[in-house]
Amino acid sequence: MTKEYDPYENVVAVMEEAMDKGNIDKKMFEIIKNPQRETKVYLPVEMDDGTIRVFEGYRVQHSNIRGPFKGGIRFHKNVSLNEVKALATWMSLKCAVVNIPFGGAKGGIKVDPATLSERELCRLTRRYTYAIEPIIGADTDIPAPDVNTNTQTMAWVLDTYSMLHGKPCPGVVTGKPIELGGSKGRNSATGRGVVISTKLLLQEYGETLEGTKVAIQGMGNVGGNAAMIFYHRDAIVVAVSDVSGGVYKADGLDIEEVNAFLDGGKRLLKEYQAEGVEHISNEEILTCACDVLVPAALENQINAEVAKRLQCKYIVEAANGPTTKEADDVIEERGIVLIPDIFANSGGVIVSYFEWVQNIQELTWGRDTVKEKLEEILSAAFAEILETTRKYNLTFRMGAYIVALKRLIHTEEIKGLFP
């Protein structure tokens, strides 16, 4: 019987491997391995028909040794405590690898948001905010959007928290509307970071984005923005997908036309029709012929069996944890180069950091400033990962994990234990 995938066990196993291969002192590892706090809340909400439903929510705070906890809130029917623990751990690693002063956290509510009205989603979000209010704040834990949440969700979180505190508290959350203190460039930041990561990778192999064939699993905020930026930088986006399936065209899709058709999620790709476009499954998009594969959906998408059938040269992980540890071994054996999630999708938290800085300093930066600073931080982090990867003759994932873990472990060592 095949063991069920556990994302938290997966990230811990990868960390343990990186600790061994990087010759890192394990004295402080137990602290890094375990979250500092796990909060589970039950959320009674009155539905539009007058009935009461109780939803299950979580907030896991993994580490704040390098700064306030930071991490998104996702609404998904399959949210579980171990998933949120894994996501919080990845956030700590992500902030460490790009060297921004945040720790890792994550939140989630077990709900299918498509089954709720906007009013019901508003009430659920506000109730969740009320439940976790004692443990969040601009200098303690700063939430942000994640799967199935957006700027509107963050506006509800901000308003609820501000009402409870009797004053505007813009720094409590990032990814909010610009009118409420959000940052220009935040909405597209994760997707833009994926494209920058791909560009940096290709440069190492003497290649460019122009003419590179890209397949993207997932057309949410991250995948959709990445697809559009790839398209505008003259990459050939041969395939994209959403929950309904994917579309493939060997000589490239018109991403502007695809995005216009999807209309912000009002339509699904299974309904899209255009000359030369072939409909494929979400698994087929992972194994289609392309140069760069961008998994931008959920975790556990590329397992060992899928890895054996990949036809790409490079993988750039836009989602959190899309590749299992067993698949990593197959990918390495096959010579496919993989840029890990803790670096590739860090654009969102980097620009969230910019937003937080603007809020606490009461400043506003222009879009060009945000883009320039994002590329500057990613370029510096990539250079450090590349140096570590070459030093130890390891994969980019191991290199990134070693960079992040050394930074976290060193901080723990100099801080010491209390009491």
Side-chain angles (χ1 to χ4, degrees):
M1 184 176 176
T2 304
K3 183 181 178 183
E4 186 176 347
Y5 172 78
D6 185 313
Y8 181 64
E9 287 182 5
N10 191 84
V11 68
V12 169
V14 177
M15 286 197 296
E16 288 173 340
E17 183 180 351
M19 292 288 291
D20 288 335
K21 290 185 174 178
N23 299 314
I24 304 171
D25 187 340
K26 293 185 178 180
K27 182 179 178 181
M28 295 290 183
F29 184 60
E30 285 299 310
I31 301 174
I32 300 299
K33 185 171 77 172
N34 295 293
Q36 290 177 215
R37 179 186 288 122
E38 299 173 16
T39 302
K40 183 177 182 180
V41 293
Y42 291 96
L43 311 167
V45 177
E46 183 177 358
M47 310 306 285
D48 289 344
D49 63 3
T51 61
I52 304 294
R53 284 182 62 187
V54 178
F55 298 87
E56 197 171 285
Y58 307 95
R59 186 71 181 173
V60 174
Q61 296 170 323
H62 176 262
S63 171
N64 66 351
I65 56 169
R66 301 189 67 255
F69 297 110
K70 185 79 185 79
I73 299 168
R74 65 173 49 184
F75 291 176
H76 196 276
K77 63 183 179 181
N78 295 326
V79 163
S80 68
L81 178 58
N82 267 21
E83 178 191 42
V84 179
K85 282 171 65 176
L87 292 163
T89 307
W90 279 316
M91 281 301 301
S92 290
L93 294 164
K94 191 179 303 185
C95 293
V97 81
V98 295
N99 202 17
I100 57 174
F102 281 146
K106 209 73 173 185
I109 301 176
K110 196 168 188 174
V111 60
D112 181 356
T115 64
L116 271 59
S117 69
E118 185 173 17
R119 287 171 58 86
E120 290 168 337
L121 284 171
C122 177
R123 288 194 287 269
L124 176 61
T125 303
R126 289 183 181 277
R127 186 72 193 203
Y128 175 73
T129 306
Y130 174 78
I132 66 169
E133 179 271 335
I135 61 171
I136 64 173
D139 56 357
T140 51
D141 183 353
I142 306 117
D146 198 74
V147 175
N148 293 327
T149 57
N150 53 29
T151 56
Q152 178 60 75
T153 318
M154 296 306 105
W156 292 329
V157 173
L158 170 60
D159 184 62
T160 306
Y161 185 90
S162 298
M163 292 292 286
L164 291 169
H165 286 253
K167 62 179 181 180
C169 303
V172 71
V173 68
T174 60
K176 53 192 175 289
I178 289 175
E179 297 83 353
L180 294 176
S183 175
K184 292 174 181 176
R186 172 60 185 88
N187 188 56
S188 62
T190 309
R192 186 173 302 281
V194 169
V195 177
I196 293 169
S197 300
T198 307
K199 182 186 78 169
L200 292 168
L201 170 64
L202 292 174
Q203 283 176 351
E204 285 305 307
Y205 290 87
E207 301 178 40
T208 63
L209 286 173
E210 185 177 357
T212 296
K213 292 190 173 184
V214 181
I216 302 173
Q217 184 203 36
M219 278 292 279
N221 174 269
V222 178
N225 277 298
M228 187 65 81
I229 298 166
F230 274 123
Y231 181 74
H232 286 156
R233 293 199 181 184
D234 296 322
I236 301 169
V237 182
V238 295
V240 295
S241 72
D242 62 14
V243 293
S244 70
V247 290
Y248 176 86
K249 188 178 181 185
D251 59 355
L253 296 159
D254 184 332
I255 296 300
E256 287 189 345
E257 182 183 281
V258 171
N259 269 341
F261 173 83
L262 293 174
D263 195 15
K266 293 177 183 176
R267 298 192 191 95
L268 296 172
L269 280 172
K270 68 179 182 180
E271 301 160 358
Y272 178 72
Q273 299 292 335
E275 187 177 350
V277 170
E278 176 187 350
H279 285 263
I280 59 176
S281 69
N282 259 300
E283 184 168 316
E284 286 173 322
I285 204 167
L286 296 172
T287 58
C288 73
C290 62
D291 298 314
V292 178
L293 173 64
V294 180
L298 295 171
E299 60 268 11
N300 191 28
Q301 298 299 299
I302 304 175
N303 56 32
E305 287 305 309
V306 172
K308 293 173 185 176
R309 295 184 281 115
L310 295 174
Q311 297 187 64
C312 57
K313 292 163 62 178
Y314 309 105
I315 300 171
V316 179
E317 294 184 324
N320 291 306
T323 311
T324 67
K325 190 174 184 304
E326 293 75 20
D328 266 344
D329 296 336
V330 176
I331 288 165
E332 184 179 2
E333 286 171 12
R334 295 190 59 201
I336 298 170
V337 179
L338 183 147
I339 296 297
D341 47 1
I342 64 169
F343 173 73
N345 70 23
S346 62
V349 74
I350 292 170
V351 179
S352 278
Y353 167 59
F354 298 163
E355 181 176 334
W356 178 70
V357 168
Q358 291 171 78
N359 291 157
I360 62 178
Q361 295 185 345
E362 298 183 350
L363 296 172
T364 300
W365 299 351
R367 189 177 298 273
D368 288 343
T369 300
V370 170
K371 289 180 182 178
E372 288 168 12
K373 288 180 178 292
L374 172 61
E375 186 143 7
E376 181 182 324
I377 287 178
L378 284 172
S379 297
F382 184 77
E384 193 170 6
I385 294 167
L386 186 62
E387 181 183 354
T388 304
T389 298
R390 288 173 173 168
K391 177 181 177 180
Y392 294 97
N393 191 28
L394 297 170
T395 64
F396 279 102
R397 189 185 307 283
M398 283 294 108
Y401 269 68
I402 289 168
V403 169
L405 286 166
K406 281 188 172 181
R407 197 162 272 146
L408 289 165
I409 294 288
H410 178 63
T411 307
E412 284 286 2
E413 288 171 346
I414 59 176
K415 174 179 70 68
L417 294 179
F418 176 85

